[in-house]
Amino acid sequence: MNDWPGGWSDDNRGNRYGRGSSSAQPEGARVMRQVRRGPAAPPGQGYGGVPQQPSYVNGQGHGGYGDDDGYDSGYNTGQVYGGSGGPDGPGGRGTREPRPAPNWRRRIKVTSITVVTLLVVTSVATYFWADGKLNREVDLSKVIDRPEAGEGTNYLIVGSDSREGMSAEEKKELHTGSAEGKRTDSMMILHTGSNGPTLISLPRDSNVEIPTFVGSDSGKTYQGTGRQVKLNAAYAEDGPELLVRTVESNTGLHIDHYVEIGFAGFANIVDSVGGVEIDIPQDIKDSKSGADFKKGKQTLNGEEALAFVRTRYALAGSDLDRTKNQQKFLSALANQVATPGTVLNPFKLYPTMGAGLDSLIVDKDMGLWDLASMFWAMKGVSGGEGKSMNMPISGNSANGNLQWDTAKVKTLVEQLKNDETVTVSSN
């Protein structure tokens, strides 16, 4: 029995595609034995209930799944696997969904908030770090019989010859000697107010009277006897509190804040800012301080700077000329510290702050803002916004100390109290 549908055989299939046929027409679908025979298929179906297979013309399916249901095998688009309509997802025909435009306003807002937050956190952390480094050792509440405070703010700035914490090698390198204790090497009053800063040096050899005072450690009252001594002797006798008491008593000017720095601290600050440029007016050579400079502009490191501000024996005016050099250098140092290259560079700012704050001794009421105001005023002096001078001297007293010009000092103090422009000169 012939198993081919409709009695077909290889001999009677006629000219059909396959089996050596030259016909270009493909064979119809064969009905296999496992396919159930049944009634004739409706139009559009193949034989025996087998769906007609799709044909392909120009890559598009016809007659089966093609045009009617939008079926695409994926070969036409190159997407054989995972395709669900095209390369860009369902319903895609090779086109890409447009990306939404970036929300620049939101991005800028988020970035700004982040930057501001970081700045605030860093500033607050820096403030507390720096505030914790201040050595608030001087108690001005122990000073008695103080004059009334005037307008503006008055700082007593003291450079001591303290060698505390210095090794033998450092003492030799900085030419400080090995004297025990500490004495004042320089003293200045810095007044800040609405008429620009005024920096006044108080020569260490100034003749002053030690007034009645209360001992800073003992609490005992020591009556004044009219003793005439050099100003630096007050510090040597009972420290910062007696020095403030003596300055206030002999000038009538109220001191608001006290700031002191030792040899090592001064040198460290200079080194932390990379040195300070200064114009030295003359050749200087002093074996006692270690100074050896040629005239002209040059950048001094910490060791050289300390030698420069301590030199007096090689200067014609001795201590009076030294105070001028000290003013000049301190103003240049403050100007260097306040430059953007230091303030905006954390690799220089933090070492400078650390070196300075570790070595400063201040009064208990001194805050970071007060300290910053002091440095800014010092910068103003070097920038020509203020005035620098020595306390007016009239000559030598009977004991050989420098005698202040009483009339000029009185006028100077009144102008400072009233925060007026200083018209008094050193000469």
Side-chain angles (χ1 to χ4, degrees):
M1 180 176 178
N2 194 335
D3 291 332
W4 293 102
W8 286 3
S9 67
D10 287 341
D11 296 330
N12 64 8
R13 279 184 296 171
N15 291 330
R16 295 184 179 275
Y17 183 77
R19 201 164 178 93
S21 170
S22 61
S23 172
Q25 298 298 322
E27 293 181 301
R30 295 182 179 180
V31 178
M32 307 303 293
R33 289 189 177 185
Q34 65 269 28
V35 177
R36 190 173 187 177
R37 297 175 184 263
Q45 298 293 323
Y47 298 101
V50 178
Q52 181 177 344
Q53 302 300 305
S55 64
Y56 297 89
V57 178
N58 295 328
Q60 300 295 327
H62 294 277
Y65 311 109
D67 292 339
D68 293 338
D69 3 356
Y71 171 79
D72 185 355
S73 65
Y75 286 98
N76 297 323
T77 62
Q79 301 293 319
V80 179
Y81 304 105
S84 56
D88 294 307
R93 286 294 182 182
T95 60
R96 188 179 293 274
E97 290 280 339
R99 287 187 176 183
N103 190 338
W104 289 108
R105 179 176 298 179
R106 182 176 181 277
R107 290 186 181 184
I108 293 173
K109 181 179 179 180
V110 171
T111 302
S112 300
I113 292 175
T114 302
V115 171
V116 170
T117 301
L118 288 175
L119 287 176
V120 170
V121 171
T122 302
S123 299
V124 171
T126 299
Y127 177 87
F128 284 105
W129 167 77
D131 189 71
K133 280 184 167 290
L134 278 178
N135 301 309
R136 296 183 173 94
E137 299 178 7
V138 180
D139 189 357
L140 295 183
S141 67
K142 296 179 180 179
V143 180
I144 62 173
D145 300 332
R146 309 191 67 186
E148 291 185 5
E151 300 294 327
T153 304
N154 299 311
Y155 299 85
L156 181 60
I157 303 172
V158 174
S160 76
D161 64 358
S162 171
R163 297 155 177 85
E164 184 177 353
M166 296 177 63
S167 65
E169 183 178 349
E170 288 173 326
K171 291 176 184 178
K172 182 179 180 181
E173 181 181 340
L174 297 177
H175 301 273
T176 64
S178 300
E180 295 298 325
K182 60 180 181 179
R183 287 147 294 277
T184 52
D185 209 51
S186 61
M187 291 160 283
M188 303 177 189
I189 293 174
L190 174 66
H191 174 83
T192 63
S194 57
N195 286 294
T198 302
L199 185 61
I200 307 163
S201 286
L202 308 176
R204 57 180 285 176
D205 294 338
S206 296
N207 190 62
V208 296
E209 179 182 328
I210 299 294
T212 299
F213 69 96
V214 175
S216 58
D217 293 329
S218 67
K220 181 180 176 181
T221 299
Y222 297 88
Q223 295 295 329
T225 61
R227 279 187 301 141
Q228 304 286 314
V229 298
K230 292 180 180 180
L231 180 58
N232 66 337
Y235 182 95
E237 186 171 331
D238 198 47
E241 287 84 359
L242 179 55
L243 177 61
V244 171
R245 169 74 175 122
T246 303
V247 169
E248 289 187 340
S249 176
N250 285 265
T251 63
L253 185 67
H254 181 88
I255 300 299
D256 297 289
H257 292 295
Y258 177 91
V259 181
E260 177 185 328
I261 187 169
F263 282 164
F266 179 81
N268 288 339
I269 292 176
V270 174
D271 285 335
S272 67
V273 296
V276 176
E277 184 182 70
I278 192 169
D279 189 358
I280 298 178
Q282 66 182 71
D283 291 350
I284 299 176
K285 189 173 181 63
D286 184 359
S287 59
K288 291 185 177 295
S289 67
D292 187 4
F293 305 114
K294 297 297 182 181
K295 178 181 178 180
K297 282 189 176 182
Q298 49 202 289
T299 299
L300 305 185
N301 61 26
E303 177 187 346
E304 295 166 337
L306 185 59
F308 177 72
V309 299
R310 293 183 61 221
T311 295
R312 64 169 175 162
Y313 295 105
L315 304 176
S318 188
D319 198 40
L320 292 178
D321 283 349
R322 177 171 71 166
T323 57
K324 294 177 182 178
N325 285 342
Q326 290 171 346
Q327 289 178 347
K328 186 175 183 179
F329 189 86
L330 288 179
S331 296
L333 173 60
N335 188 68
Q336 178 71 23
V337 171
T339 58
T342 299
V343 175
L344 300 179
N345 183 353
F347 297 102
K348 292 186 69 174
L349 176 63
Y350 286 98
T352 301
M353 291 178 65
L357 296 172
D358 282 340
S359 57
L360 291 179
I361 296 175
V362 300
D363 64 272
K364 293 184 180 298
D365 294 327
M366 172 74 88
L368 286 178
W369 294 119
D370 300 311
L371 194 60
S373 296
M374 186 194 79
F375 272 99
W376 195 257
M378 294 284 289
K379 180 179 182 293
V381 171
S382 66
E385 301 170 7
K387 180 182 180 70
S388 61
M389 59 183 289
N390 279 326
M391 187 66 84
I393 302 295
S394 61
N396 291 333
S397 62
N399 57 11
N401 300 333
L402 295 174
Q403 186 64 49
W404 292 350
D405 188 319
T406 305
K408 284 188 175 183
V409 170
K410 183 178 179 180
T411 302
L412 172 63
V413 170
E414 286 300 316
Q415 290 177 339
L416 294 177
K417 279 185 174 181
N418 297 324
D419 196 23
E420 299 172 350
T421 300
V422 172
T423 60
V424 178
S425 65
S426 301
N427 300 324

